[in-house]
Amino acid sequence: MMPYFKFGFFSVDFSLVVAFVIGIGFGFSLERGGFGNARILAAQFYFYNMRVLKVMFTAIVTAMLGLFYFSWIGWLDMSLVYATDTYLLPQIVGGLLLGIGFVIGGYCPGTSVVSMSTGRTDGLIYVLGMLFGIFVFGEVFPLLEGFYNSTYMGRVLLPQYFGVSFGMVVFLVVFMALGAFAAGEWAEKKFAKKGRIAE
Amino acid sequence: MVSLTRFFSKKEKLAEGKTFEPKPYSNPYLVGVGLGLVLLAAYLIMGRGLGASGAASTLVAVTVSKASPEHAAKNNFYKEYLGDENTNPLKDWLVFEVLGVAVGGFLSGTFAHRIKRTTEKGPNVSIKTRLIYAFVGGAIMGFGAKLARGCTSGQALTGGAILNLGSWAFMLAVFGGGYIAAYFIRREWL
């Protein structure tokens, strides 16, 4: 039965080895995708290189189909898979801030680690900025705690929220992703004309 | 290495030189499938997805607690990352995962000859300006990620694949915020 860790197949200490190996796969993929380079990431927001959208949605669709398949054949207990509880408003406000920080800083937390480890100075400075931002958040946390814990909804997944089956949402997300890929390819052609680097 | 090159003909030397040029980035859809399989493996083996900002939070909480244990102990945010006194907070799943991210990125960059001491920026800004933006952007993102309980890895990617409501709302907000801000700071990149 999966997830293996939840069924006691190995110890907490060994899970750290798993973490390191999975991290290597994660970092390797990010670098392959060009996400250690802020220009590629920022290009997403000017439509001339849509790699962020393509990689992210392909990854989401791949993992989602895998989760769906393994739970459908009964190997995976989805209720044991961790999903963060939804706090709608703080997540939307945090997301907006994150988007703004993404364009200004050129990275997100995971990609900045890859950028730093492949020698980019801006990646290193970004990481320092991120640590500072988290420190500021920690210091003002007592003031924010009320908002941070507001609009609590518990563990809500889309199928249950919309009252439709898991398979139906999976189908709709795949459909949406294909549409997004088509739009992305179209945008790249349209916006590349302005003579920008499309690496 | 230098003595070895003598054994190659001129043509081969050129070809050898070429292989040290940075290789182009891989096909995004293939990378997406690879990343998706890594995420799926995390789910099937561990029952949890990927993350990044959580490791940074642990690092900040540990630093604050080293500097002033009483101050950290009074704060619910730091306390969450420090855990109880019996375990070392740095012995954390995300901390080890992020160490792996650094190593994996370095390996991939090495194989493709993309390791380079440089600063990525648009053609119209100085390096100093770009680095200031990197720090400010990083700070905004660090703050936002904590408010949202996760970043692009922990919320958008991980929560996206498991169809988490909050993560999808978060993801739309990230793209919304990004596209709005992009117009105002276009000079940094274009």
Side-chain angles (χ1 to χ4, degrees):
Chain A
M1 275 301 272
M2 298 192 281
Y4 295 126
F5 182 63
K6 305 277 175 182
F7 285 94
F9 277 67
F10 50 88
S11 67
V12 173
D13 280 355
F14 187 75
S15 81
L16 299 178
V17 179
V18 175
F20 186 68
V21 174
I22 285 179
I24 289 179
F26 186 20
F28 199 93
S29 310
L30 290 177
E31 206 286 331
R32 288 283 125 167
F35 293 177
N37 183 338
R39 282 179 299 144
I40 299 257
L41 293 164
Q44 171 67 37
F45 296 100
Y46 301 98
F47 298 107
Y48 64 90
N49 189 328
M50 304 293 276
R51 275 180 167 268
V52 173
L53 177 106
K54 292 181 201 171
V55 172
M56 220 168 111
F57 272 93
T58 312
I60 288 175
V61 165
T62 304
M64 176 188 71
L65 287 174
L67 286 173
F68 178 68
Y69 178 75
F70 283 104
S71 79
W72 185 59
I73 62 170
W75 287 17
L76 171 71
D77 185 347
M78 275 290 276
S79 67
L80 293 178
V81 174
Y82 176 70
T84 50
D85 287 342
T86 293
Y87 295 80
L88 201 56
L89 218 49
Q91 285 190 288
I92 290 173
V93 175
L96 284 171
L97 284 174
L98 218 110
I100 295 167
F102 200 159
V103 182
I104 297 176
Y107 297 104
C108 59
T111 53
S112 69
V113 174
V114 173
S115 165
M116 184 175 72
S117 79
T118 51
R120 270 65 181 177
T121 313
D122 50 330
L124 171 70
I125 300 294
Y126 177 98
V127 171
L128 297 177
M130 175 178 65
L131 293 170
F132 178 72
I134 294 173
F135 172 67
V136 171
F137 182 84
E139 289 305 306
V140 300
F141 187 71
L143 301 172
L144 284 174
E145 214 165 342
F147 179 65
Y148 182 75
N149 290 318
S150 66
T151 52
Y152 174 70
M153 297 169 73
R155 184 187 196 267
V156 203
L157 305 183
L158 292 177
Q160 117 196 40
Y161 184 72
F162 290 114
V164 290
S165 71
F166 188 10
M168 180 52 107
V169 180
V170 166
F171 174 77
L172 290 174
V173 170
V174 171
F175 195 71
M176 207 182 72
L178 292 176
F181 296 150
E185 297 291 344
W186 173 83
E188 279 181 349
K189 283 199 189 76
K190 185 172 159 67
F191 288 88
K193 282 178 193 160
K194 298 185 183 174
R196 292 160 188 162
I197 353 130
E199 283 165 84
Chain B
M1 241 359 243
V2 179
S3 61
L4 265 178
T5 52
R6 263 185 238 151
F7 294 98
F8 293 107
S9 71
K10 200 177 175 186
K11 199 178 166 190
E12 274 168 330
K13 246 191 270 180
L14 271 175
E16 191 204 34
K18 259 182 192 160
T19 60
F20 286 93
E21 288 290 305
K23 289 179 191 159
Y25 294 116
S26 310
N27 178 302
Y29 299 111
L30 268 178
V31 173
V33 171
L35 181 56
L37 291 176
V38 172
L39 173 59
L40 181 62
Y43 267 135
L44 298 182
I45 299 169
M46 291 301 303
R48 62 177 298 168
L50 306 168
S53 56
S57 312
T58 304
L59 202 61
V60 170
V62 168
T63 311
V64 170
S65 141
K66 283 270 185 291
S68 170
E70 314 87 56
H71 179 67
K74 270 188 290 181
N75 185 308
N76 285 336
F77 174 72
Y78 296 135
K79 266 202 291 194
E80 199 191 316
Y81 289 96
L82 293 170
D84 56 43
E85 284 157 15
N86 306 319
T87 49
N88 183 347
L90 291 174
K91 230 182 111 180
D92 172 70
W93 203 85
L94 280 180
V95 170
F96 278 77
E97 187 237 54
V98 168
L99 287 174
V101 170
V103 173
F106 180 76
L107 286 177
S108 169
T110 306
F111 296 152
H113 311 294
R114 286 194 288 256
I115 309 281
K116 197 178 169 196
R117 280 307 305 273
T118 181
T119 296
E120 301 293 350
K121 63 179 193 64
N124 297 317
V125 284
S126 67
I127 288 182
K128 194 180 152 202
T129 309
R130 166 67 189 120
L131 294 181
I132 293 170
Y133 273 103
F135 189 88
V136 172
I140 295 173
M141 201 143 192
F143 191 96
K146 288 305 99 189
L147 194 57
R149 292 173 167 79
C151 58
T152 351
S153 323
Q155 285 292 354
L157 192 61
T158 297
I162 200 183
L163 304 172
N164 193 337
L165 172 72
S167 305
W168 278 84
F170 165 85
M171 200 184 335
L172 295 178
V174 171
F175 279 104
Y179 280 108
I180 293 165
Y183 176 78
F184 296 100
I185 57 122
R186 59 192 182 280
R187 202 174 162 273
E188 186 187 1
W189 301 113
L190 298 180

